[in-house]
Structures are given as C-alpha cells and as structure tokens.
Amino acid sequence: MSTLRQDLHFALRQIVKRPGFATVVVLTLALGIGANTAVFSVLDAVLLRPLPYSQPQQLVKLWTRFTGIGLPNDQNNVSPPEFRDFQQLNHSFSDVAAISGGAFNIGGKGNPQRVVGAAVSPSLFTILGTQPQLGRTFLPEEAQPGRDNEVILSYGLWQRAFAGDPHIVGSTIPIDAVPMTVVGVMPAGFDYPEESEIWQPLAFAPSDLTPNMRGNHSLEVLARTRPGLSLTQVNEDMDRMSKTIIDQNRGYPYTNFGFKVLLHPLLDETVGDVKTSLWVLMAAVGLVLLIACVNVANLLLTRAAEREHEIGVRMALGASPWRLTRQLLTESVLLAFIGGLVGLAITPLLLRGLVVLAAKTLPRTVHTTVDFSALALTLLISLATGILFGLAPALQARRKENAEILRSGRNTEGGQSKRLRRALVMGETALSLILLAGSGLLLRSFSQVLKVDPGFRPDGVLTMRIALPDAKYSRPEQVRAFYSTLLDRIQASPGVKAAGAINLLPLGGQNSSGTTTIDTQSVPLRDRTPEVDMRRVTPDYFRAMGISLVRGRFFDQRDTDTSQPVAIIDETLAQTFWPGQDPIGQRVHQGGSTTAPWVTIVGVVRHVRSRTLEARSRTEVYWPLTQRPSNTMALTVLTTGNPMDLATTIQKEVSALDPELPVYRVRTMAEVMGESVARRRVALVLLAAFAGLALLLASVGIYGVTSYLANQRQREIGLRIALGSRRGQVLQLIIGQGMRTIVIGLLIGILPALALTRLMSGLLFGVRPADPLALGGSAAILLAVALVAIFIPARRASNVNPMVALRYE
C-alpha cells in the first residue's frame, strides 16, 4: 500500500511538473467522453428506449393512401366513415381509437388561454394502458353528441391553471365557452398526442358518418394489435380490409384511387424521420472520440520519448522493469481517471445544451437522462488508450541499451516510433476529413433548401392564430362578421400594408385535404377526382403573403355567401387538368359525389409549398371564407416595419371584439419557415460542432508531432545552417515533410468519406453524397489548418542558433 501511495505521489508530481501536457490530455479525454455520452443519451431516449405505455410493441398507427394519385410516399389521415370501417372490419386489433388534435380556449375575460388538446375515443386510454392520477377516464357512452361535456386534464395544466386543487374532479370549467365537467387528471408525463394538456370525448354525429364524409381525412388513428400477431400478419389483414372497403363503397371512387390502409409501429411514428440524423450524429461523435484517443496516444508517445533518458538513468540505478512499468502505468491511469472525472462533470452540461437545442425538433428529448452504460464504455476506451500508450516509455527503454541512452545524453527515438507517430497523424487527418465532409454536405443541403422558392414572400409578415368557440360563434354569419371586422380594423392600423387570413398556414405543420371532382375532358375519367390540399382564405390573404396571381382574379367583395360559389386553384392543378387551356370559368366541386354543387374557378395562383420546402405539395384549391366559414384562422399581416411591433396592437383589436378570445402562436412568417427547417438546422449545427472539435484536436496533434520532431532534429538543422543552408530552405523542408503526411492522410480518408457520406443521402437535398465542393472544401480547410499547425513549430526550429544546437557534439 505504501508503494502504491509512492507511485500516486510521484505521478501527481509529474502531472504538476507538466501542467500544459496534463491539461491537454485531460481536456481531450473529457471532451471525447462527454460528447459521446451526451449524444448517446439523446439517441437512447429518442430511438432505443421503449415508449412509456403498456406493451408498447403492440401499438400501431393507421393511415390511408390513394396509391393511384398524389405524391410519392404520400399518406392521409382517416375519415370518420373509414374509422368506423376499421372498428368493424379488422381481425387484428384488440381496440382502435380515433384522435382529433386541436386546441381549446380556457379562462374568461382578461385571462383567456389557448391550450393544446385533443378530442379522443374513450378507448384511447385503455389502448395506452395509462390510468389517471385522479378520477377516471371517459366512459364509452360519453362518445355521443350531447353527452360529451367532460374533460380530462394533464398533470401540468392541473398544477399550472388550477394550483393542483385536489377537489378538481367533479368541478365545472369553461372550455370554448361551454361548461365542462372535469372527470380526471392524468399522471405527470402523459401527453398523448404530443403536447396535449386537455382531452374531450370524440363524438360522431350521424352526419359525420355519411358517404360524403369519406373524403374528410382529419383523424389520427391508434390501435393495439392482438397478442401474438406479427406485423406481417397485421399488414395482410390491412390488405384484406382495404379490399373490403373498396367493395362495400362503390359509390365512392376508392377503386380509381387505389385505396390502401397503411400501418406503422407507434415508436417509428413517434421518432419520425430523425432516425438517420441521430445515427449519423452518433457516428460523428464516435469519430470525435477516436480522434481524441489518437491525439492522446500521440501526446503520450511524445511524453514517452522525452522521458527516455530519465528512464534509462533510473534503470541504470537499479530500478526493475516491473517497478518502472507500474509507475508509468499509475501515471497514465491517473491522467485517464482525471479526464474521466472531468468528462463526467461536463456530460450533464453538454446534455443540457443538446436538449435545449433539440427539444423542439427531436421527440422525447425532454425525458433524456445521462446514460451511464455509454459513459462507462467511453471511460473504458479512454482508459485503455491511456494504459496502452502510457506504457510506451518502459517498453521503448527496455528495447535499448542503457549505455546507449546514457552516452547520448539526449532522447534517441527510433524510426519505428516516428513512423507510428506519423501514422497516427494520418489517421487523425483521415477521420477529420470524414467529419468535415459530412458537415459540408449538410451545409450545402441547408443552403439549397433556403434557396427554394416557397411560392410566397415571408418578409415583413406577422402571423397569429385565433379560434372562435363553436358554442359562441355557431352561425356562419357570426364567423364572417368577426373576421371581416377584425381585418378591417387591422388594415386601418398604421404600418399595415395588407391583412388577410387562412385556416392553415403554409409550413405550419398542419394540413387539410380532400377529394375534389374536376370538370374536364383532358384526363381520363378515373383521374378526375384527385386528393387536393384545400384552404379557406380572405380576399387579401394572397396580397399579404405575396402569392402571385397567374391568371384571372383574386377573391373580392363580389364573392359573398349568396353569390355564385367560386374557387381559386394553383398553377399545378391548372396545368394538370387543363393543359394548354384557360381554366378560368371551368368547374370543380368538393368530394367525389355527383350531388355536390359545382364551383366556378375565377383565378389561378402560384403553387405554394405548404407542407415542406423540400418537396412540392399536392395541387391546391382555395375557397373564400365568406362562402365556407372556418372558426379557426391564422392572421397574415404584411407590415412596413418590424412585424412583431404590431403584435400588441392586433391583440388589443381582438380583445376589443371579444375579450374571451386568446391570440396564440404569434410568429413572423420568417420564424415559421425557420421552424420548418429546424430539424435540418440542428443536425447541421451539431455535426459542424463535432467537425470543428475534430479539426481542433487534429491541429493540436499535428502541432505536437511537428514540434517534437523538429526539436529532435535540432542538431541536424543546426548542422545544415552551419554548412550554408538558408533558413527558408530549412523551413520549406520541415513544412514539406509535414504536409506530405497530411496529404497521405487526406488520400486515405477520401474513400471512407465517400462511403460514409452515402449513408447521409436521406438527409441531403439538392446535393449528391459525392459532392466535389463539399469534399474539396473540407480537404482545403484541413490543409490550411495543418499548414498553420506545421508552420509555427517549423519556423521556430528554422530559427535555431547552430552554435547552440552543436555545442555538445
């Protein structure tokens, strides 16, 4: 034990003696450990950890697809009649639930709030296997019109709005201007669907289940598969059910659409398309750890060479090889241990930063905690690196004769060790190239996305949402009057150029589509009932959003509830169904039924990318709000200055008309666009951060190796200068040899970079994985950084005084 204390004491003295060396090693290990643990913790929380429900592997979501129309891989929500079909026709589910997501107004005058919530089938809570903390969930009979005046609160809403009142169950609160009875409070953490804080029974009226409603795809559907069934068996049942629905509904053009029911595990649906991004980030941070370990290896090899003479003296004085090995092992383990402690300390900070950065773009990140298995693994890797390369001094000294070391009076590192050091630099360079190439591709992709023309102009546009309660605004004329009066007041406000409204904002994360019948002879009969995106707008919406008119006119005061029904279509619908013709005056009608009234087309506008910037949306039809009122609308206000400066003014105008109405989701249109690409931006920022860290570590390694090798060659350099070589020639020699190592590393890294960036193809937009600009730019950055890292020690070495260098020869 006393010998161990001596080893530890001597190791601490060595660390204190070289604080710069120790600090670099500790920080290198800590960054590698902390970054790996933080990223893996997020990956575990999002992808690997089971959902917090009973038997989550049995939970699936259902979608519908019209395989003969629409965009590739397009899918729709479910209509109420289709949901009834799912309940009656399936052979694979123990239960099925429908969800209609939305939000609710709570509170009264002076303190209205908009709370995210959903109308749900009573079976939802049974399917998820979650029991309420207080009270009960909904009863089956409460899913009927007139009997659906109950709500369930989330734990967070109960605490925030009702101060955790233990007697809340049974009390009545106003929801959308209707008294509702609280029947339960869910436990903390339950928020299905995501961010929901209040739930109401989903009740279908008889009119919701008529054939005309089959085109109203507005429901999310969740189901639990029966125990023992595989996904393959359930998918086969979905194919059978799809055919049955087609056969039973010949009046609805399922046959022409190629109707199909789709099924996805709930975990895959929850994760969405972030899986590739997270695995790419995990690979990137793994490369950072590898580079950190290579860097530590290089540092320890340098330290080993510097201590060669010291070890030779100790061996000559009688120290045994085992005693020296144990001492050196103690030093390297202590360094690795300190690095691990610092890594453990910074991991929560890095994880908190990751969660803050990704909370709005990655699901389930709010529940992320430090993954100690990942922490233990990275600690072991770092410890192994410290042990392996920390033993180098003893192993190297044992291969040499003490007399040789003592006679030289200086370090005499062999060629094999130098080659190993250069090989490590090549490896660092190759790994750094992979990371830089990946971040370069994401940067190029992000710039390509931002260049996409969305079909509107976001600059100077302020948006906010308003929802008129059905109970208070039950008649269409009330809805029309409210929005007409409000928009007139906003238009009269200083700094407003145009004020409009739309039921669903472009790139806002919501969509509404339905079947539309086209009166045309240009396409076959089976193709005349496409699924299109449908929007309801006020006359000045297009002007406020800068959406150009291609042909015809915008909506105006002529388009009232008593005038001829009209519509505006986008240019893609016009080109598809009236190619080379004038679509003005042509007709469409909503749904596939022949009884729906025809609507005259009065205008054609540019196509708007409503869903995502990366892909074109479906064809679009706009209806005037005066003829098809919608209680929930998004205001779009084009301003002359900073849009947010008008937010308070508009909120006051809303309160003046109805003090019980909350205004929510107040954002500029530029912010809406930014949120639509936020996930891509987060992936770019993180990968760029890891690439920058790799570049920093690589530059430290290159600098350290060049500096040490230059110091080792001081006698040679002094001799060259004494014999007449110019300092510039010496400088060129050292830089040339160092850059050759870097170039070889780049050549080694090209093929792995090309191979690994192909795995990122799902994250790219408008850029090929083998993009020469990204790869060439990454190589150029590495060369530039390496040149600086080599130049500094090379210049110092070239300035050596030859008399000093040769003094002891």
Side-chain angles (χ1 to χ4, degrees):
M1 183 62 69
S2 60
T3 306
L4 178 60
R5 280 199 298 268
Q6 289 177 357
D7 289 342
L8 285 172
H9 180 69
F10 187 79
L12 283 171
R13 283 176 56 193
Q14 290 296 318
I15 290 173
V16 172
K17 185 178 178 182
R18 296 290 302 274
F21 168 81
T23 300
V24 173
V25 171
V26 167
L27 288 180
T28 299
L29 288 175
L31 287 172
I33 292 169
N36 266 269
T37 307
V39 172
F40 186 83
S41 298
V42 171
L43 185 142
D44 176 64
V46 176
L47 296 184
L48 306 180
R49 197 177 301 169
L51 293 170
Y53 308 120
S54 173
Q55 300 296 315
Q57 71 278 4
Q58 296 176 357
L59 298 175
V60 295
K61 282 188 69 175
L62 302 180
W63 301 86
T64 63
R65 176 182 293 168
F66 296 132
T67 56
I69 63 171
L71 303 174
N73 302 319
D74 201 16
Q75 57 187 22
N76 303 306
N77 283 325
V78 179
S79 67
E82 290 166 349
F83 172 66
R84 180 185 57 185
D85 293 338
F86 294 174
Q87 290 177 304
Q88 297 173 353
L89 299 177
N90 88 85
H91 296 161
S92 302
F93 305 133
S94 58
D95 217 334
V96 186
I99 301 113
S100 178
F104 301 91
N105 296 342
I106 68 171
K109 294 182 178 180
N111 187 34
Q113 299 180 53
R114 187 68 173 173
V115 178
V116 175
V120 302
S121 301
S123 58
L124 173 70
F125 304 99
T126 303
I127 289 173
L128 294 175
T130 306
Q131 297 297 320
Q133 178 163 320
L134 295 178
R136 61 172 175 85
T137 56
F138 300 130
L139 304 174
E141 58 267 24
E142 290 171 340
Q144 299 176 17
R147 303 188 63 179
D148 57 345
N149 290 335
E150 296 85 16
V151 293
I152 296 173
L153 307 179
S154 72
Y155 181 87
L157 182 61
W158 175 49
Q159 293 291 324
R160 186 177 72 250
F162 303 99
D165 180 5
H167 307 294
I168 189 69
V169 174
S171 62
T172 300
I173 59 175
I175 304 292
D176 284 340
V178 176
M180 295 278 192
T181 302
V182 178
V183 298
V185 175
M186 297 306 292
F190 182 86
D191 64 346
Y192 192 90
E194 189 176 7
E195 297 184 354
S196 293
E197 293 192 299
I198 191 168
W199 296 268
Q200 180 183 9
L202 179 60
F204 293 120
S207 59
D208 294 327
L209 302 173
T210 61
N212 286 340
M213 295 299 291
R214 286 191 172 271
N216 181 22
H217 299 105
S218 58
L219 300 176
E220 175 185 340
V221 174
L222 184 69
R224 179 176 288 277
T225 61
R226 298 183 188 277
L229 290 180
S230 67
L231 281 180
T232 300
Q233 292 172 306
V234 178
N235 275 314
E236 290 173 354
D237 187 38
M238 296 302 98
D239 291 339
R240 177 201 57 79
M241 187 169 68
S242 301
K243 294 175 183 177
T244 303
I245 293 174
I246 293 172
D247 292 340
Q248 292 181 356
N249 297 276
R250 293 290 179 180
Y252 186 76
Y254 284 123
T255 305
N256 295 339
F257 287 177
F259 180 77
K260 183 178 177 63
V261 179
L262 305 177
L263 174 147
H264 303 300
L266 182 59
L267 179 58
D268 291 349
E269 286 286 332
T270 303
V271 171
D273 58 355
V274 305
K275 189 179 298 184
T276 303
S277 299
L278 283 176
W279 283 116
V280 166
L281 290 175
M282 193 66 240
V285 80
L287 290 177
V288 169
L289 178 62
L290 189 55
I291 293 171
C293 290
V294 170
N295 219 30
V296 169
N298 245 330
L299 290 168
L300 292 177
L301 282 175
T302 300
R303 180 71 170 141
E306 290 175 349
R307 299 182 66 183
E308 193 175 88
H309 183 71
E310 170 204 335
I311 293 169
V313 171
R314 294 176 67 185
M315 291 181 70
L317 293 175
S320 68
W322 164 242
R323 183 70 179 83
L324 282 173
T325 299
R326 193 178 66 184
Q327 175 62 58
L328 294 168
L329 184 62
T330 302
E331 292 180 27
S332 60
V333 170
L334 183 60
L335 269 176
F337 179 72
I338 296 172
L341 287 180
V342 177
L344 178 62
I346 67 173
T347 294
L349 300 176
L350 294 175
L351 183 58
R352 191 175 300 119
L354 273 176
V355 170
V356 170
L357 180 65
K360 294 184 178 180
T361 58
L362 297 181
R364 308 177 70 193
T365 49
V366 293
H367 305 297
T368 303
T369 55
V370 175
D371 188 280
F372 286 98
S373 61
L375 179 61
L377 178 61
T378 51
L379 276 171
L380 284 175
I381 294 172
S382 303
L383 187 63
T385 301
I387 293 172
L388 178 62
F389 290 94
L391 290 175
L395 297 176
Q396 196 165 295
R398 293 175 66 176
R399 289 197 302 266
K400 293 187 178 183
E401 295 292 337
N402 290 338
E404 177 190 348
I405 299 174
L406 295 174
R407 184 174 58 251
S408 67
R410 54 187 176 83
N411 301 327
T412 57
E413 185 181 35
Q416 185 177 356
S417 182
K418 292 179 181 178
R419 286 192 293 273
L420 175 59
R421 197 186 310 281
R422 287 195 173 99
L424 290 174
V425 170
M426 292 176 192
E428 279 189 296
T429 304
L431 294 173
S432 299
L433 178 64
I434 295 172
L435 280 176
L436 283 172
S439 60
L441 284 172
L442 289 187
L443 179 61
R444 292 264 292 137
S445 294
F446 192 68
S447 66
Q448 291 297 106
V449 169
L450 296 183
K451 291 178 183 177
V452 170
D453 183 358
F456 58 85
R457 292 193 300 272
D459 298 335
V461 177
L462 177 67
T463 73
M464 59 187 70
R465 292 191 68 80
I466 299 172
L468 307 180
D470 291 340
K472 191 173 182 180
Y473 296 84
S474 58
R475 300 193 307 276
E477 56 268 25
Q478 292 176 298
V479 176
R480 285 192 290 264
F482 177 87
Y483 283 114
S484 176
T485 303
L486 176 62
L487 291 174
D488 285 345
R489 290 189 176 190
I490 295 173
Q491 184 67 65
S493 301
V496 174
K497 297 173 68 175
I502 185 172
N503 63 326
L504 296 174
L505 203 63
L507 304 177
Q510 295 177 302
N511 191 59
S512 175
S513 66
T515 307
T516 299
T517 300
I518 310 294
D519 185 17
T520 182
Q521 303 299 317
S522 300
V523 299
L525 181 63
R526 66 178 181 275
D527 296 331
R528 296 177 191 172
T529 50
E531 184 84 0
V532 304
D533 289 343
M534 295 185 289
R535 303 288 183 265
R536 306 179 190 196
V537 300
T538 62
D540 270 355
Y541 166 75
F542 299 104
R543 192 160 70 92
M545 290 288 287
I547 300 175
S548 303
L549 183 68
V550 176
R551 189 184 295 268
R553 67 174 178 88
F554 291 135
F555 298 134
D556 57 30
Q557 302 303 321
R558 290 171 286 179
D559 305 313
T560 66
D561 58 312
T562 58
S563 64
Q564 165 68 35
V566 295
I568 291 175
I569 63 174
D570 77 334
E571 56 190 343
T572 55
L573 191 147
Q575 293 164 3
T576 302
F577 295 98
W578 293 284
Q581 304 175 49
D582 186 357
I584 304 302
Q586 302 289 350
R587 303 185 303 173
V588 299
H589 70 66
Q590 188 172 353
S593 170
T594 56
T595 60
W598 288 104
V599 177
T600 302
I601 297 171
V602 297
V604 178
V605 295
R606 290 197 60 205
H607 177 74
V608 171
R609 300 205 173 198
S610 298
R611 301 190 181 194
T612 171
L613 286 174
E614 285 91 335
R616 293 178 69 85
S617 303
R618 289 193 183 111
T619 55
E620 296 165 324
V621 175
Y622 299 90
W623 315 106
L625 184 68
T626 51
Q627 297 180 351
R628 300 184 185 228
S630 171
N631 285 47
T632 302
M633 298 290 286
L635 302 182
T636 55
V637 183
L638 179 61
T639 67
T640 57
N642 183 356
M644 294 304 296
D645 291 343
L646 278 170
T648 302
T649 300
I650 295 173
Q651 289 173 324
K652 289 179 179 178
E653 294 291 355
V654 173
S655 296
L657 291 176
D658 189 337
E660 296 181 355
L661 282 181
V663 176
Y664 61 104
R665 294 192 70 77
V666 181
R667 301 169 295 171
T668 66
M669 198 61 211
E671 289 174 332
V672 175
M673 288 187 66
E675 290 174 9
S676 73
V677 295
R679 187 169 293 173
R680 186 178 289 277
R681 182 187 291 110
V682 167
L684 169 62
V685 169
L686 290 178
L687 191 57
F690 297 145
L693 180 58
L695 191 61
L696 175 63
L697 293 176
S699 64
V700 170
I702 294 166
Y703 174 87
V705 169
T706 305
S707 181
Y708 175 75
L709 293 178
N711 287 338
Q712 287 290 90
R713 298 175 65 184
Q714 276 196 2
R715 176 177 172 272
E716 174 199 339
I717 294 169
L719 188 58
R720 286 176 178 271
I721 295 175
L723 293 176
S725 294
R726 294 192 301 274
R727 297 186 186 277
Q729 292 175 318
V730 173
L731 181 64
Q732 185 177 0
L733 175 67
I734 299 174
I735 291 176
Q737 290 176 342
M739 292 304 290
R740 275 196 295 273
T741 302
I742 303 303
V743 170
I744 294 172
L746 289 176
L747 294 175
I748 293 172
I750 286 176
L751 286 180
L754 290 174
L756 292 178
T757 51
R758 285 189 178 278
L759 301 178
M760 299 173 54
S761 57
L763 304 177
L764 305 181
F765 175 80
V767 178
R768 295 179 291 110
D771 180 61
L773 187 58
L775 192 60
S778 302
I781 291 173
L782 261 173
L783 285 171
V785 171
L787 181 60
V788 173
I790 293 170
F791 176 80
I792 295 173
R795 184 180 180 186
R796 185 170 62 244
S798 68
N799 288 328
V800 67
N801 187 329
M803 296 304 296
V804 174
L806 299 174
R807 178 177 299 167
Y808 300 105
E809 293 302 323

